[in-house]
Amino acid sequence: MLKYLSGIVLFFLAVACSHAQNAGYLSAKEFADKIKNAKGAQVVDVRTPGEFKTGHIQNASNIALQSPEFTDMASALDPSKPVFVYCLSGGRSASAVKRLKAMGFKEIYEMPGGMMEWRSQNLPEVKLTVASEGMSLKDYQAMLQSGKTVLVDFYAEWCAPCKKMKPFLDKISTEMAGKVTFIRIDADQNSRLCKEMGVAALPVLKVYRDGKETWNHTGFADEETLRAQLGK
């Protein structure tokens, strides 16, 4: 009986720990509400200065993850107050959270969906520059009418899975050029289109036939899976 009860206690402790570990991950709306209600909220945008200027959350500080001054700039934050971290779609913010934890920060909240999710929810942002929003939905739809199967790749230069897929995507686009139109769309340069298409994470792959979407995949896809979809 004691052994049985001990097992139950361990189970509930494990569940409690799991919930505690996940407590810092918030959706865009939860992130916005938490910032509004938190005392002394410190909002940190870890994207590049260029990305920051084209749109960021109000009162956010730009502490670029890739900057050699990241640690020095982060040290200026108050470790006794909550820190809210985000990037474009979660990759860089996850790395930033690890570094902040190593620096001793305890109360950290992350928005894994990043600015892509924030924009998809029509939440407010501050823009320091007026940037081109890139391709329109009408332009996008026109490209699908090529008479061939169309493969669309929504990517970003900083996206690790995107970089991993690029070599075999390039190979496939060359080998199947006669029957497949390959379109790559930089999410950073086409924020309006991403919002309209519901692209809230990267990479996103889409296959169209006769202008109709036949396959939609978010995240890394291996070469075999992609060839199978294009070969149908």
Side-chain angles (χ1 to χ4, degrees):
M1 176 62 74
L2 182 59
K3 183 177 181 181
Y4 174 74
L5 290 174
S6 297
I8 293 176
V9 171
L10 288 172
F11 170 77
F12 281 107
L13 283 174
V15 170
C17 288
S18 175
H19 284 307
Q21 289 169 354
N22 294 326
Y25 297 96
L26 304 174
S27 68
K29 289 184 177 179
E30 291 171 337
F31 199 74
D33 290 340
K34 193 75 174 178
I35 290 172
K36 188 184 300 183
N37 297 320
K39 186 176 181 180
Q42 302 171 108
V43 185
V44 178
D45 185 320
V46 298
R47 297 175 299 159
T48 66
E51 291 175 279
F52 182 80
K53 289 178 181 178
T54 61
H56 61 267
I57 296 174
Q58 187 174 16
N59 298 323
S61 298
N62 186 205
I63 305 180
L65 178 68
Q66 299 168 348
S67 170
E69 299 177 349
F70 177 86
T71 300
D72 288 341
M73 295 174 71
S75 296
L77 298 171
D78 187 340
S80 68
K81 296 178 180 179
V83 180
F84 295 79
V85 184
Y86 71 93
C87 61
L88 184 65
S89 68
R92 288 170 288 181
S93 62
S95 297
V97 167
K98 289 180 181 178
R99 292 179 65 174
L100 289 171
K101 285 182 178 178
M103 292 172 65
F105 289 88
K106 302 298 183 184
E107 190 177 357
I108 306 173
Y109 300 96
E110 181 190 356
M111 177 171 60
M115 283 303 291
M116 295 187 75
E117 183 189 357
W118 185 273
R119 287 165 177 158
S120 74
Q121 298 298 316
N122 294 311
L123 292 167
E125 58 183 294
V126 177
K127 297 187 178 184
L128 302 181
T129 61
V130 179
S132 169
E133 293 186 318
M135 187 186 307
S136 69
L137 183 59
K138 184 177 180 180
D139 293 336
Y140 177 84
Q141 292 170 336
M143 291 194 301
L144 305 179
Q145 310 303 321
S146 68
K148 303 177 185 178
T149 296
V150 179
L151 169 62
V152 182
D153 172 29
F154 286 90
Y155 77 101
E157 294 297 338
W158 48 263
C159 168
C162 301
K163 292 179 181 179
K164 188 176 180 180
M165 290 192 298
K166 189 176 185 302
F168 66 75
L169 284 172
D170 289 344
K171 182 171 67 172
I172 290 172
S173 66
T174 299
E175 293 177 359
M176 305 182 75
K179 63 176 184 177
V180 176
T181 298
F182 183 42
I183 301 170
R184 297 193 81 219
I185 298 177
D186 187 330
D188 286 335
Q189 302 301 318
N190 294 277
S191 59
R192 179 178 59 182
L193 178 63
C194 287
K195 180 179 178 179
E196 292 175 333
M197 294 292 297
V199 175
L202 295 174
V204 168
L205 297 169
K206 294 178 179 287
V207 174
Y208 293 86
R209 289 182 174 84
D210 299 321
K212 296 181 180 179
E213 184 181 298
T214 60
W215 186 64
N216 184 335
H217 180 83
T218 300
F220 178 83
D222 59 35
E223 183 175 354
E224 183 179 356
T225 298
L226 190 54
R227 286 185 181 276
Q229 290 297 327
L230 294 174
K232 289 182 178 179

